[in-house]
Every structure is written in structure tokens, then in C-alpha cells.
Amino acid sequence: MKRVFSGVQPTGNIHIGNYLGALKQFVELQDENECIYCIVDMHSITLPQEPKELKKHILDVAALYMAVGLDPKKSTIFVQSQVPGHAQLSWVLTCSSYTGELSRMTQFKDKSKGKESAPAGIFTYPVLMAADILLYDTDIVPVGNDQKQHIELCRDLAIRINNRFDKKVFVVPDGRFMKSGARIMALDDPSAKMSKSAPNPKSRISLLDEPGAIKKAIMSATTDSEGTIRFDLEEKPGISNLLNIYSAFSGLAVEDIEKKYEGCGYGAFKKDLVEVTVDALAPIRERFGEIRNSKELTDALKDGAEKANAISEKTMQRVYKTFGLGI
Ligand code: ATP
Ligand code: LTN
């Protein structure tokens, strides 16, 4: 059985990019693997969060994990800050990281914009992510495409430390990416990734959006003037993004969807995509409502933190011993 680990930040409304790129894989993997899914609240404070909002968002993400189909009997679900091992291992890994490699991370460059006042947390963010993964001897990390560089860094750190001590201190993990959901683009600008923080709410579809909001976002999505439904990332990024979303929600191959809509206009295609999306999200919204304020949710997180701590403590003993820390 392989060990799977991944995390989502509690920074706002989870959108269909997060779902199709990451959460959908979480569910697929839970039957055949030992899965550990984290709500990475310590990552979220790399940028200031309003404490009350953060508390709410942590439980929102946990409830969404369960609403999309994660079963706490099969998967371990917990909140990162409840397991001290993440911060402990992060420091050890920080001391094995190079400032050069961290300054080359595209997410750091995008978010810091070269400013002296950029928080140091955005610089060391990928090290904390590597700690999350290595703490659990993870084999597989299901994520969206935007995390490829961070996974590479995590692998480099594991290999570097294993080589230094000439033994397998850490398992070297592999990323896992979806075929049609790995990179969902913004609906209003298909050159940018769909994001929780973009100012235009019509740029994204959140998992808890009402059918009316879903319709508005899809019907106003940016396309092109050619009028044919054809997958072409270079020439037709808007339509290609909608085809990806259609494919990921319906399970149909992109080629089959192209055939289905041969000779049809964008209006008809978009109308059907609204239906496909609304149908896919309705059960998630319903289950979220049932679970969000339940004892089932808080019990699952308590149980998850206990299980995670048990694994984490073992790893930290091994790591401290390897590095000669403690007495
Ligand atoms: P955002 O940029 O949307 O604010 P994020 O990427 O900073 O979110 P998370 O919420 O932690 O941060 O992402 C959770 C998971 O969703 C990650 O595996 C990430 O790769 C994936 N993901 C985020 N955006 C997209 C997207 N547009 N398409 C596919 N996967 C995505
Ligand atoms: N960096 C990720 C969130 C994240 C994560 C992780 C993903 C934090 N720790 C460990 C997978 C494994 C993001 O911003 N999307």
C-alpha cells in the first residue's frame, strides 16, 4: 500500500480548479492507498489572515473534504497546526536548503515582486511544504500543475539529505497530476490560473456557488470569435479551458465532446456546460450543509490529528537522531 499526502490552504472559497486539479484525485486514491489529507493553516499565514475568518475557513475546507467524498474511516484528515512535527521538520529542512534554490521558485518571485518587505514566510513556504510531505514518508502527492516546482524541491531535499547521511532518511515522493483538471484557467482570462484571490468573482466557480452564479460565470466566460468548439491551447485558450472543465466533470474525452458539438455555437455548448457543472456540484453543496456544523466533522479532525501525530513523532525521532539533535 502506498502512502499519499496532500494539503489545501484555508484561504477562501475552494473553486473547481482546486477540485478538478487536487480534491478529485484525493477521493480516487483513498480506496487503494493509505491517504493523509491536511488543511495547511500554517501555510495560509504566509500572508496575513483575519483570525476569525481563518478559523471559519479551516472548518470549511475540512467540511468540503468530506463533502467531495473523503471518508474519515478511510483517510486521515487533520489540521496542520495540530501536529508540531510540521514546524519542527521544516526548520531542519530549512537548514538543508539553499537560498538560491528558494529564490528561483516562481511562486516566490510572483508573490514577493522583489520587495524588501516581502514576508520571509513566502520565501520558506516550499520548505514547510516539503516538511509536510516528508514527515509522513509519502510516496504520492496529488496536486495541481502549479505545484510541480515545489514537488521537485521536496524531492531534491530528500535526495540531498539521504546522500549526506548515506541512508534512506526520507522517502523520495512523486507528484500526481490529473489529465484534464491539472490546470484550470480563470474564466475571464484564460492566460491566468483560476485562483481564490482574483478580484473578479466571475473568474472562478466556487464549489458552493448557487446555480445562478455558476450560470453567470460560464455564460460570460471569455472565448474567441472563430465559433468552432475545438481544443487548441495556443489559438483558443478560453474554449480549451471550458472543454477541459466539461471533460473533467462529465468523464467524456475532449475529442468526444468536440464531436458532440460539431456545428454548434458557443451558446449551446456553454448552456450544456452549466448543466454538467451544476449537476456535479449540487451533491457537494448539499453534503457540505449537512456536515459543516456537525460533531462528525470535529471528531474526524481530532481523530485525524492523533493518527498524524503518531506517525510524525516517529519520523521526528528518526530525523533528530540522524542529525545528532537532542541528548
Ligand atoms: P489559489 O491560487 O487558487 O488561491 P492555491 O493554489 O494558492 O490556491 P491551495 O488552495 O492550497 O492553494 O491549492 C490546493 C490545490 O489545488 C493544490 O494542489 C493546487 O495545485 C490545486 N490548484 C489550485 N489552483 C488550481 C487550478 N487553477 N487548476 C488546477 N489545480 C489547482
Ligand atoms: N503549496 C500547496 C499547498 C500545500 C501542499 C502541501 C500540497 C501545502 N503543503 C503538501 C501538497 C502537499 C499550494 O499552495 N497549493
Side-chain angles (χ1 to χ4, degrees), residues 23-77:
L23 293 173
K24 207 164 153 236
Q25 303 194 64
F26 295 7
V27 182
E28 281 172 13
L29 288 162
Q30 74 174 342
D31 287 323
E32 317 246 312
N33 301 280
E34 188 189 344
C35 294
I36 306 178
Y37 298 121
C38 186
I39 296 127
V40 289
D41 56 344
M42 299 213 300
H43 276 94
S44 71
I45 61 161
T46 45
L47 295 174
Q49 305 291 330
E50 210 283 304
K52 278 207 187 94
E53 283 287 297
L54 179 56
K55 277 254 167 331
K56 176 182 167 295
H57 286 149
I58 290 171
L59 292 175
D60 284 347
V61 174
L64 272 173
Y65 271 179
M66 288 170 64
V68 298
L70 289 185
D71 175 354
K73 286 193 209 78
K74 296 182 189 163
S75 300
T76 300
I77 302 173

Side-chain angles (χ1 to χ4, degrees), residues 5-6 105 126 129-130 133-134 140-158 172-177:
F5 181 95
S6 195
M105 294 287 125
M129 175 165 164
I133 298 167
L134 300 182
I140 303 169
V141 189
V143 275
N145 253 351
D146 60 318
Q147 297 301 312
K148 261 194 179 144
Q149 205 185 18
H150 291 162
I151 302 280
E152 244 351 274
L153 176 84
C154 173
R155 290 170 54 87
D156 288 347
L157 287 172
V172 181
D174 285 306
R176 184 182 192 268
F177 309 93

Side-chain angles (χ1 to χ4, degrees), residues 119-130:
I122 10 182
F123 185 62
T124 51
Y125 177 108
V127 184
L128 178 59
M129 175 165 164

Side-chain angles (χ1 to χ4, degrees), residues 39 92 139:
I39 296 127
V92 175
D139 301 294

Side-chain angles (χ1 to χ4, degrees), residues 205 210-221 270-271 274 278:
I205 296 170
E210 303 278 340
I214 297 175
K215 186 171 176 196
K216 267 193 197 137
I218 293 180
M219 296 313 284
S220 64
K270 281 179 164 180
K271 227 171 124 230
V274 171
V278 167

Side-chain angles (χ1 to χ4, degrees), residues 18 20 22 40 45 57 64 67-68 70 81 93 101 106 109 170 176 185 199 205 207 220 224 262 293 299 304 322:
N18 301 131
L20 298 174
V40 289
I45 61 161
H57 286 149
L64 272 173
V68 298
L70 289 185
S81 60
L93 297 181
E101 63 191 349
T106 43
K109 288 196 267 186
F170 295 118
R176 184 182 192 268
M185 309 311 282
I205 296 170
L207 289 192
S220 64
D224 55 70
E262 227 172 71
N293 295 314
D299 283 352
T322 303

